[in-house]
Amino acid sequence: MDMRLSEIMLSLQGEGKQTGKLTTFVRFYGCNLKCTYCDTLYAVEGDKYVNTDIDEILATVREIGAKNICLTGGEPLYREGIYDFIFKLEEEGFIVVIETNGAVELRDIRDRKFIYCMDVKCPSSGMHDLMNLDNLSILLPQDEVKFVISDRLDYEFAKDIIAKYPTKADIIFSPVFESDRTTNAGQLASWILEDKLNGVRLGLQMHKLINIY
């Protein structure tokens, strides 16, 4: 089954519960959204991709050798046959994280091992009206929900969502990253403290802070 692939690379996971772990990143091309702050536009538009298939990607991740696999994009769940690929990875003992944008319906698989890391887009993204918030109810304790926050409006939006849509997943508030600094990281931390947001984790993009790809 053909899949549009943007890149495969070895690095350290820079965010979420897997932060710091050696990880093979499999970046798929194509997305159903276009966020204002997108930092991987090369995986969304243009012609930087190759047509490949599951077996070729499997051979590459085996050769790289990292046990943790992150499927990202673009939007990995935008690719037909992606769940077949996930199950093949799990059969071979890989630990799989799927970074998904929250506008794609997730499969409700209760005995699964793989991890959903789902973004809920806030107003500054320009995509918040396209979210499928029903996804939050099917997430499991191993999963993550991430809100990328650039201002107070985003913060209040995120608070409202977590109040209205309970989830078993870990909740991460992460500031938008710009150039060589994190925007409002300290301010975001102070808001979380002031509101005593139990169950919310402040997340920073480690890979950008230490300047690794």
Side-chain angles (χ1 to χ4, degrees), residues 65-129:
K67 299 305 291 184
N68 282 59
I69 307 292
C70 180
L71 307 183
T72 187
E75 170 53 59
L77 297 183
Y78 200 46
R79 299 263 62 87
E80 184 180 355
I82 191 66
Y83 283 96
D84 292 337
F85 179 50
I86 292 167
F87 299 144
K88 283 182 177 290
L89 287 169
E90 290 192 326
E91 286 171 6
E92 298 198 19
F94 291 105
I95 299 166
V96 183
V97 176
I98 302 99
E99 294 186 342
T100 183
N101 63 31
V104 178
E105 184 177 356
L106 305 183
R107 285 194 189 177
D108 187 3
I109 305 172
R110 290 293 156 173
D111 59 349
R112 60 182 166 83
K113 295 180 181 178
F114 66 81
I115 298 165
Y116 284 125
C117 181
M118 173 184 155
D119 270 18
V120 174
K121 303 300 183 182
C122 295
S124 68
S125 73
M127 299 287 114
H128 62 292
D129 288 335

Side-chain angles (χ1 to χ4, degrees), residues 169-186:
D170 270 13
I171 299 168
I172 300 170
F173 284 11
S174 181
V176 173
F177 192 96
E178 290 184 356
S179 63
D180 62 347
R181 66 187 180 89
T182 50
T183 302
N184 294 329

Side-chain angles (χ1 to χ4, degrees), residues 28-187:
F28 293 94
Y29 178 88
C31 190
N32 54 328
L33 301 182
K34 191 172 181 181
C35 299
T36 57
Y37 48 69
C38 180
D39 58 2
T40 53
L41 279 174
Y42 61 89
V44 176
E45 58 189 23
D47 58 2
K48 189 183 177 183
Y49 66 86
V50 296
N51 286 314
T52 184
D53 59 34
I54 288 174
D55 290 336
E56 289 180 355
I57 302 172
L58 275 170
T60 301
V61 299
R62 287 189 202 108
E63 183 179 355
I64 291 173
K67 299 305 291 184
N68 282 59
I69 307 292
C70 180
L71 307 183
T72 187
E75 170 53 59
L77 297 183
Y78 200 46
R79 299 263 62 87
E80 184 180 355
I82 191 66
Y83 283 96
D84 292 337
F85 179 50
I86 292 167
F87 299 144
K88 283 182 177 290
L89 287 169
E90 290 192 326
E91 286 171 6
E92 298 198 19
F94 291 105
I95 299 166
V96 183
V97 176
I98 302 99
E99 294 186 342
T100 183
N101 63 31
V104 178
E105 184 177 356
L106 305 183
R107 285 194 189 177
D108 187 3
I109 305 172
R110 290 293 156 173
D111 59 349
R112 60 182 166 83
K113 295 180 181 178
F114 66 81
I115 298 165
Y116 284 125
C117 181
M118 173 184 155
D119 270 18
V120 174
K121 303 300 183 182
C122 295
S124 68
S125 73
M127 299 287 114
H128 62 292
D129 288 335
L130 300 178
M131 293 297 95
N132 184 342
L133 297 174
D134 290 338
N135 284 332
L136 293 170
S137 66
I138 71 169
L139 296 179
L140 302 177
Q142 74 253 32
D143 298 323
E144 304 171 26
V145 176
K146 182 175 68 174
F147 295 83
V148 177
I149 293 172
S150 66
D151 53 30
R152 185 75 191 198
L153 178 62
D154 282 357
Y155 175 74
E156 294 296 336
F157 174 86
K159 281 203 310 176
D160 187 56
I161 294 298
I162 63 175
K164 290 180 178 178
Y165 297 88
T167 183
K168 295 177 181 177
D170 270 13
I171 299 168
I172 300 170
F173 284 11
S174 181
V176 173
F177 192 96
E178 290 184 356
S179 63
D180 62 347
R181 66 187 180 89
T182 50
T183 302
N184 294 329
Q187 181 66 76

